[in-house]
Amino acid sequence: MLKIQVTHSYFLAYDPKQWERGKPYPPLATIQVAALLRRMGHAVALFDTMLADGVEAYERSLPSVEPDVVVLYEDNFNFLTKMCLDRMREAACRMIASARARGARVIVAGSDASDHPEAFLAAGADVVLIGEGIAALVQLIQRLDHSPAIDTQGWVAGVSGISILDGGESRTIRLGIQPPDAQLAGLPAWDLIDIERYRAMWRERHGYFSLNMTASRGCPFRCNWCAKPIWGNHYLRRDAGEVAAEMSYLKHTFRPDHIWFADDIFGFRSDWVSQFAERLLEDDGSVPFTIQTRADLSTEPMAAALERAGCAEAWIGAESGSQRVLDWMAKGTRVTKLIDARLRLGAHGIRVGFFIQLGYLGEQLSDLLATRELIALAAPDDIGVSVSYPLPGTRFYEQVKTQLGDKTHWRDSGDLAMMFRGTYDSAFYRGIRDLLHEQVTVQQSRDSGSPESRKRALAALDARWDALIASERLHRNPDATPAPEPSRNHVVPLRRVAAAQNH
Ligand code: SF4
């Protein structure tokens, strides 16, 4: 039996925007791995960095655990790990060095490590898992359990889907992107989480407590900018009854007021969501929940099934109000569908949020104004705004990689800096973001404010839009990257997606 410390490197304290937002979730993928290692018979401890003060707190944990192995396994369900933020990579590297200094073997896994294993190997990691890496992890742990003194060469011999240092150089033994591993099943190790710390922060900041779950791993769509170093275009959905049983367990054990489903695409088919709803009703297990989905999946049967299951809020990756930008992104949706989906879900009592992306290749002022129009017409309950962020492995990244300078990642999630030669500078997009947020605020105040005060607010907002639009030439990049060719062939036809998910 090995002493294994499982951890990750996302420190809320190192991300000012998220700290301010104050909505921390336990690291789901990390505690799924902890549960798997425990089922294999090992003594597993968790160091959860989410609410820790900093790397020093991690270092202080090491003498009491004295792990044989540290598995630094990022929470692949936390979208911030996809962004590979600089501050978290620095934290991971310091944690690796500290664990190695205490004599532990170190295995690392996550989006950033899959893209840039050399950075983590240079910090002292023995092995980087490429992608989800569960098969390789299980193999490595079994070997070490059998031969605790095995040298690194013997330990990793014949294992695929990993990266190691070989003669001072990183060497990756590729396996190709693998489907989500079926060994990662069952309840995550919820007992290792200090639930009360999470509850305290949520209650203090928001007056309620939210926990997270997942019903699937992966997404079969192929939006040009969406990085998928972990599951590629695979999609594996859990059994509806099993997901309902987990929600019921969380409800009766930890009493959350709300559940956030971290899936890229929740449910996918209305018949699955209907089964989920029926099981929840049988078990009295329903907790109001939030999902992420797509406009084209938000059909009438889906909206009805979501309502029955207790869905309170759905976030849609709307991205843009300009059809040509959606086509450049290979988003596979129509602007009209975005509005339809918003109305349909709203009619079933489900709040709707739109994720908006500014600054995609080729996007012009007219496209940005089309997005303003979309927000005015669809009137979502909330929006989240970001700028296009080229991540390795995406078609978008390939189109702009020669323009990336020293800055290839945001330092933290509030950075919102342009990293390629877009149409406008970062300040212009930050201005657009602020006005879009304000527009939603004014739209949402429709019922509360008097007609006069709302009229005044709208007039003030229009004036600010006019001022920003008038300044656009000052922010325009003379050397902007031209628009790409539309790439509809990257859109997966929905009927193929429906077939693929059943495998
Ligand atoms: S729908 Fe597009 S953006 Fe959303 S997870 Fe899938 S590929 Fe990524």
Side-chain angles (χ1 to χ4, degrees), residues 11 13-14 47 49 51-60 94:
F11 288 83
Y14 290 167
F47 185 88
T49 52
L51 298 178
D53 295 338
V55 173
E56 297 73 18
Y58 172 71
E59 289 166 345
R60 285 196 298 275
R94 285 178 58 198

Side-chain angles (χ1 to χ4, degrees), residues 82 219 221-223 225-226 228 264-265 294 319 331:
K82 269 194 185 184
C219 168
F221 291 93
R222 297 179 185 182
C223 305
W225 45 268
C226 186
K228 296 173 159 188
D264 285 332
I265 305 285
R294 287 174 52 101
E319 319 304 347
K331 189 69 198 177

Side-chain angles (χ1 to χ4, degrees), residues 233-250:
N233 291 317
H234 296 287
Y235 180 73
L236 182 68
R237 199 180 46 195
R238 298 168 65 195
D239 172 75
E242 188 186 312
V243 180
E246 185 174 335
M247 183 181 264
S248 186
Y249 164 80
L250 292 180

Side-chain angles (χ1 to χ4, degrees), residues 194-212:
D194 186 349
I195 290 284
E196 296 312 318
R197 282 197 75 186
Y198 284 89
R199 189 195 309 277
M201 186 161 189
W202 275 90
R203 285 215 174 274
E204 183 199 320
R205 299 285 194 91
H206 307 287
Y208 70 97
F209 174 41
S210 179
L211 273 178
N212 50 344

Side-chain angles (χ1 to χ4, degrees), residues 442-481:
V442 173
Q443 287 171 184
Q444 294 307 318
S445 69
R446 195 173 313 168
D447 300 330
S448 50
S450 68
E452 290 72 29
S453 68
R454 191 164 167 267
K455 214 167 149 187
R456 277 197 301 277
L458 280 173
L461 187 57
D462 282 348
R464 289 181 56 203
W465 272 107
D466 290 346
L468 188 66
I469 292 166
S471 75
E472 65 100 16
R473 282 188 183 282
L474 301 174
H475 297 281
R476 187 175 271 278
N477 186 345
D479 211 10
T481 314

Side-chain angles (χ1 to χ4, degrees), residues 20 25 55 64-65 123 126 131 141 145 233 272 288 295 303 315 348 369 390 395 453 469 475 499:
E20 181 69 21
Y25 283 108
V55 173
S64 59
V65 182
D126 294 279
I141 294 295
D145 192 27
N233 291 317
W272 186 95
W315 279 84
H348 282 273
L369 295 178
R395 191 176 160 85
S453 68
I469 292 166
H475 297 281

